[in-house]
Amino acid sequence: GAGVSQSPRYKVAKRGQDVALRCDPISGHVSLFWYQQALGQGPEFLTYFQNEAQLDKSGLPSDRFFAERPEGSVSTLKIQRTQQEDSAVYLCASSLVAAGHTQYFGPGTRLTVL
Amino acid sequence: GQNIDQPTEMTATEGAIVQINCTYQTSGFNGLFWYQQHAGEAPTFLSYNVLDGLEEKGRFSSFLSRSKGYSYLLLKELQMKDSASYLCVGIPGGYQKVTFGTGTKLQVIP
């Protein structure tokens, strides 16, 4: 089957707008992760789902960030009232079982907040 | 702690061998992944070490010493397409989120 897909690939938002980023994991993968990657840096963990349960959201930088995976497959990362510092690439990854297993990444969504 | 340290940049010649080192605090992780990331693209999995020793996979090999908190990625017969960032990723015990290093940007020159 297909790999991890994300949409949109690019998003430009005005400061203060809300955005929603979508991730379609590999079919059957239990675990789903969101990462934020700034230019020249490694991915930084945001949140983790096992099926529909959000087990770890310790990496979400503020309460403006919200993620959900209501049916245990597709996930959405929502950022409210975007700020310029939110500009980054948002990567989604899935793994077959648990967090310590190989993660397969989507192409990412590049968010630019003006 | 869960710090992962790797060199920021490296340059190597096409056809040569390069070793990218990664060190981490031993209390933090039980093993390591290595990922490759080309500019503007998502990371792709290269290797996975949870036991001490060398794992070989074609031109790429990865080594782990858990007691020393040390790993390296060895790339042989370098090709221009190997120019990319190489991310060292710590695997904690049980479930915990993995931790990415900042990556080593490798430039392969003719």
Side-chain angles (χ1 to χ4, degrees):
Chain A
V4 179
S5 61
Q6 293 185 245
S7 61
R9 291 293 311 279
Y10 302 91
K11 177 69 179 178
V12 178
K14 291 183 178 178
R15 191 173 55 165
Q17 280 186 328
D18 298 348
V19 298
L21 312 180
R22 177 187 169 105
C23 172
D24 283 82
I26 294 173
S27 178
H29 276 199
V30 168
S31 297
L32 185 145
F33 306 82
W34 283 99
Y35 295 89
Q36 181 189 61
Q37 186 172 25
L39 190 64
Q41 301 295 315
E44 294 281 344
F45 171 85
L46 293 177
T47 188
Y48 162 64
F49 289 86
Q50 189 173 89
N51 296 307
E52 68 277 7
Q54 189 175 21
L55 298 188
D56 189 337
K57 55 182 180 180
S58 62
L60 296 177
S62 76
D63 59 8
R64 297 186 294 105
F65 286 69
F66 171 76
E68 59 183 5
R69 193 187 186 197
E71 297 180 359
S73 56
V74 171
S75 177
T76 303
L77 176 67
K78 297 179 180 178
I79 309 173
Q80 297 176 324
R81 306 181 302 282
T82 52
Q83 303 294 314
Q84 284 189 322
E85 61 263 28
D86 300 334
S87 296
V89 175
Y90 290 85
L91 293 166
C92 175
S94 69
S95 69
L96 183 59
V97 185
H101 288 70
T102 303
Q103 296 182 25
Y104 297 89
F105 283 82
T109 295
R110 182 177 295 278
L111 172 66
T112 303
V113 181
L114 303 177
Chain B
Q2 296 189 331
N3 292 333
I4 294 178
D5 295 312
Q6 49 181 136
T8 304
E9 294 181 345
M10 297 182 72
T11 301
T13 305
E14 191 177 13
I17 299 173
V18 69
Q19 178 174 313
I20 302 174
N21 295 324
C22 171
T23 58
Y24 62 95
Q25 294 179 296
T26 56
S27 60
F29 305 112
N30 286 349
L32 284 179
F33 291 122
W34 282 94
Y35 278 80
Q36 179 191 59
Q37 187 175 28
H38 285 99
E41 299 182 12
T44 54
F45 171 79
L46 288 178
S47 69
Y48 175 45
N49 293 72
V50 288
L51 298 176
D52 291 349
L54 190 66
E55 293 281 342
E56 297 187 77
K57 190 183 292 186
R59 294 190 299 115
F60 292 6
S61 303
S62 57
F63 172 84
L64 178 65
S65 169
R66 290 172 294 171
S67 62
K68 296 181 180 178
Y70 169 67
S71 174
Y72 66 73
L73 180 69
L74 193 71
L75 292 77
K76 303 176 186 175
E77 301 169 14
L78 280 173
Q79 302 176 8
M80 299 300 289
K81 67 178 182 180
D82 297 330
S83 294
S85 287
Y86 291 86
L87 300 162
C88 179
V89 186
I91 307 168
Y95 159 68
Q96 293 294 333
K97 53 188 180 286
V98 299
T99 300
F100 282 79
T102 55
T104 298
K105 186 175 181 181
L106 173 67
Q107 183 181 14
V108 179
I109 57 176

